[in-house]
Coordinates of all heavy atoms in Angstrom, one line a residue:
H1 N 164.1 134.7 42.6 CA 163.2 133.9 41.8 C 163.7 133.7 40.4 O 163.6 132.6 39.8 CB 161.8 134.7 41.8 CG 160.7 133.9 41.1 ND1 160.7 133.8 39.7 CD2 159.6 133.2 41.5 CE1 159.6 133.1 39.3 NE2 159.0 132.7 40.5
T2 N 164.2 134.8 39.7 CA 164.7 134.7 38.4 C 165.9 133.7 38.3 O 166.1 133.0 37.3 CB 165.1 136.0 37.8 OG1 163.9 136.9 38.0 CG2 165.4 136.0 36.3
A3 N 166.8 133.8 39.3 CA 168.0 132.9 39.3 C 167.6 131.4 39.4 O 168.2 130.6 38.8 CB 168.9 133.3 40.4
V4 N 166.5 131.2 40.2 CA 166.1 129.8 40.4 C 165.4 129.3 39.0 O 165.7 128.2 38.6 CB 165.0 129.7 41.5 CG1 164.3 128.4 41.5 CG2 165.7 130.0 42.9
A5 N 164.7 130.2 38.4 CA 164.1 129.8 37.1 C 165.2 129.6 36.1 O 165.1 128.6 35.3 CB 163.2 131.0 36.6
A6 N 166.2 130.4 36.1 CA 167.3 130.2 35.2 C 167.9 128.8 35.4 O 168.3 128.0 34.4 CB 168.4 131.2 35.3
Y7 N 168.2 128.4 36.7 CA 168.8 127.1 37.0 C 167.9 126.0 36.5 O 168.4 125.0 35.9 CB 169.1 127.0 38.5 CG 169.5 125.7 38.9 CD1 170.9 125.2 38.7 CD2 168.7 124.8 39.6 CE1 171.3 124.0 39.1 CE2 169.1 123.6 40.0 CZ 170.5 123.2 39.8 OH 170.8 121.9 40.2
L8 N 166.6 126.1 36.8 CA 165.8 124.9 36.4 C 165.6 124.9 34.9 O 165.5 123.7 34.4 CB 164.4 125.2 37.1 CG 164.4 125.0 38.6 CD1 163.1 125.4 39.2 CD2 164.7 123.6 39.1
H9 N 165.6 126.0 34.2 CA 165.5 125.9 32.8 C 166.8 125.3 32.2 O 166.8 124.5 31.2 CB 165.3 127.3 32.1 CG 163.8 127.7 32.2 ND1 162.9 127.1 31.3 CD2 163.2 128.6 32.9 CE1 161.8 127.7 31.5 NE2 161.8 128.6 32.4
E10 N 167.9 125.6 32.8 CA 169.2 124.9 32.3 C 169.1 123.5 32.6 O 169.5 122.7 31.7 CB 170.4 125.6 33.1 CG 171.7 125.0 32.6 CD 172.9 125.4 33.4 OE1 172.7 126.3 34.3 OE2 174.0 124.9 33.2
R11 N 168.6 123.0 33.7 CA 168.5 121.6 34.0 C 167.6 120.9 33.0 O 167.8 119.8 32.7 CB 168.0 121.4 35.4 CG 168.9 121.7 36.5 CD 169.9 120.5 36.9 NE 169.3 119.2 36.8 CZ 168.5 118.7 37.8 NH1 168.3 119.4 38.9 NH2 168.0 117.6 37.6
D12 N 166.6 121.7 32.6 CA 165.6 121.1 31.6 C 166.1 121.2 30.1 O 165.4 120.8 29.2 CB 164.3 121.9 31.7 CG 163.2 121.2 31.1 OD1 163.1 120.0 31.2 OD2 162.3 121.9 30.4
G13 N 167.3 121.8 29.9 CA 167.9 121.8 28.6 C 167.6 123.0 27.7 O 168.0 123.1 26.6
D14 N 166.8 123.9 28.3 CA 166.5 125.2 27.6 C 167.5 126.2 27.9 O 167.4 127.1 28.7 CB 165.1 125.7 28.0 CG 164.6 126.8 27.2 OD1 165.4 127.3 26.4 OD2 163.4 127.3 27.4
L15 N 168.7 126.1 27.1 CA 169.8 127.0 27.4 C 169.6 128.5 27.1 O 170.2 129.3 27.7 CB 171.0 126.4 26.7 CG 171.4 125.0 27.1 CD1 172.8 124.6 26.5 CD2 171.4 124.7 28.6
A16 N 168.9 128.7 26.0 CA 168.6 130.1 25.6 C 167.8 130.8 26.7 O 168.2 132.0 27.1 CB 167.9 130.1 24.3
T17 N 166.8 130.2 27.1 CA 166.0 130.8 28.2 C 166.8 131.0 29.5 O 166.8 132.0 30.2 CB 164.7 130.0 28.5 OG1 163.9 130.0 27.3 CG2 163.9 130.7 29.6
A18 N 167.6 130.0 29.8 CA 168.4 130.0 31.0 C 169.4 131.1 31.0 O 169.6 131.9 31.9 CB 169.1 128.6 31.2
A19 N 170.1 131.3 29.8 CA 171.0 132.4 29.7 C 170.4 133.7 29.9 O 171.0 134.7 30.5 CB 171.7 132.2 28.4
R20 N 169.2 133.9 29.2 CA 168.6 135.2 29.3 C 168.2 135.5 30.8 O 168.3 136.6 31.3 CB 167.3 135.2 28.5 CG 166.5 136.4 28.6 CD 165.3 136.4 27.7 NE 164.4 135.2 27.9 CZ 163.6 135.1 28.9 NH1 163.4 136.1 29.8 NH2 162.8 134.0 29.0
L21 N 167.7 134.4 31.5 CA 167.3 134.6 32.9 C 168.4 134.9 33.8 O 168.3 135.7 34.8 CB 166.4 133.4 33.3 CG 165.0 133.3 32.7 CD1 164.4 132.0 33.1 CD2 164.2 134.5 33.1
Y22 N 169.5 134.2 33.5 CA 170.8 134.4 34.4 C 171.2 135.9 34.2 O 171.6 136.5 35.2 CB 171.9 133.5 33.9 CG 171.9 132.1 34.6 CD1 172.0 131.0 33.8 CD2 171.8 132.0 36.0 CE1 172.1 129.7 34.4 CE2 171.8 130.7 36.5 CZ 172.0 129.6 35.7 OH 172.0 128.3 36.3
A23 N 171.2 136.4 33.0 CA 171.6 137.8 32.8 C 170.6 138.8 33.5 O 171.0 139.7 34.1 CB 171.7 138.1 31.3
E24 N 169.3 138.4 33.4 CA 168.3 139.3 34.1 C 168.5 139.2 35.6 O 168.4 140.3 36.3 CB 166.9 138.8 33.7 CG 165.8 139.6 34.3 CD 164.4 139.1 33.9 OE1 164.3 138.4 32.9 OE2 163.5 139.3 34.7
A25 N 168.8 138.0 36.1 CA 169.0 137.9 37.6 C 170.2 138.6 38.1 O 170.2 139.2 39.1 CB 169.0 136.4 38.0
A26 N 171.2 138.7 37.2 CA 172.5 139.4 37.6 C 172.2 140.8 37.8 O 172.8 141.5 38.6 CB 173.5 139.1 36.5
H27 N 171.3 141.4 36.9 CA 171.0 142.8 37.0 C 170.4 143.2 38.3 O 170.5 144.3 38.8 CB 170.0 143.1 35.8 CG 169.7 144.6 35.8 ND1 170.6 145.6 35.5 CD2 168.5 145.2 36.0 CE1 170.0 146.8 35.5 NE2 168.7 146.5 35.8
H28 N 169.6 142.2 38.9 CA 168.9 142.5 40.2 C 169.6 141.9 41.4 O 169.0 141.8 42.5 CB 167.5 142.0 40.1 CG 166.7 142.6 39.0 ND1 166.2 143.9 39.1 CD2 166.2 142.2 37.8 CE1 165.6 144.2 38.0 NE2 165.6 143.2 37.2
A29 N 170.8 141.4 41.3 CA 171.5 140.7 42.3 C 171.7 141.6 43.6 O 171.9 142.8 43.4 CB 172.9 140.1 41.9
A30 N 171.7 141.0 44.8 CA 171.8 141.8 46.0 C 173.2 142.2 46.3 O 173.3 143.2 47.0 CB 171.2 140.9 47.2
N31 N 174.2 141.5 45.8 CA 175.6 141.9 46.1 C 176.4 141.6 44.9 O 176.0 140.9 43.9 CB 176.1 141.2 47.3 CG 176.0 139.7 47.2 OD1 176.6 139.1 46.4 ND2 175.1 139.1 48.1
L32 N 177.7 142.1 44.9 CA 178.6 142.0 43.8 C 179.0 140.6 43.5 O 179.0 140.2 42.3 CB 179.8 142.8 44.1 CG 180.9 142.9 43.0 CD1 180.3 143.5 41.7 CD2 182.1 143.6 43.5
A33 N 179.3 139.8 44.6 CA 179.6 138.4 44.3 C 178.5 137.6 43.6 O 178.8 136.8 42.6 CB 180.0 137.7 45.6
E34 N 177.3 137.8 44.0 CA 176.2 137.1 43.4 C 176.0 137.6 41.9 O 175.7 136.7 41.1 CB 174.9 137.3 44.2 CG 173.7 136.5 43.7 CD 172.5 136.7 44.6 OE1 172.7 137.2 45.8 OE2 171.4 136.6 44.1

């Protein structure tokens, strides 16, 4: 959910929020590659 939110915020031009959400999503990722 957080990764999708990050992607949509990036598409909307809110890069600060997108970067924060990408980092948060990485912390909860299911595998190393993700």
Side-chain angles (χ1 to χ4, degrees):
H1 183 285
T2 307
V4 169
Y7 173 74
L8 291 172
H9 276 291
E10 180 184 357
R11 288 279 319 281
D12 195 39
D14 187 351
L15 303 189
T17 299
R20 176 178 58 79
L21 291 173
Y22 275 131
E24 182 181 336
H27 180 69
H28 298 289
N31 57 64
L32 181 61
E34 186 177 338

